[in-house]
Amino acid sequence: PSQLRPLSEQPLAAPHEWVGQLSGGEGCPGGVRRSLRVEFECAEDESLGRVDEPDPCGYSVSLATPAAC
């Protein structure tokens, strides 16, 4: 299993939006380490949004949740 560093929270420009970055995961071909960016969005219900791989071994996901409000 991948071992990722702790989540770091960084406020975004818009209110009630947060991003978490997990980095330092398992190595990929070419020496790149896996990472995950989670964009938290304020919403009444929890739902998983888009999941992308914008860079090799670099993933992003949006998560709607009341906890981000």
Side-chain angles (χ1 to χ4, degrees):
S2 294
Q3 292 186 352
L4 299 174
R5 293 183 200 154
L7 181 70
S8 63
E9 294 180 354
Q10 304 168 359
L12 297 176
H16 302 295
E17 292 183 1
W18 291 86
V19 63
Q21 182 74 36
L22 296 165
S23 60
E26 280 187 348
C28 290
V32 177
R33 293 207 166 271
R34 294 184 194 280
S35 65
L36 173 66
R37 177 185 171 92
V38 182
E39 295 178 12
F40 298 94
E41 300 172 5
C42 176
E44 289 186 24
D45 299 311
E46 292 188 352
S47 65
L48 184 62
R50 70 182 186 287
V51 178
D52 296 314
E53 186 178 2
D55 299 306
C57 298
Y59 310 98
S60 66
V61 62
S62 62
L63 177 65
T65 176
C69 298

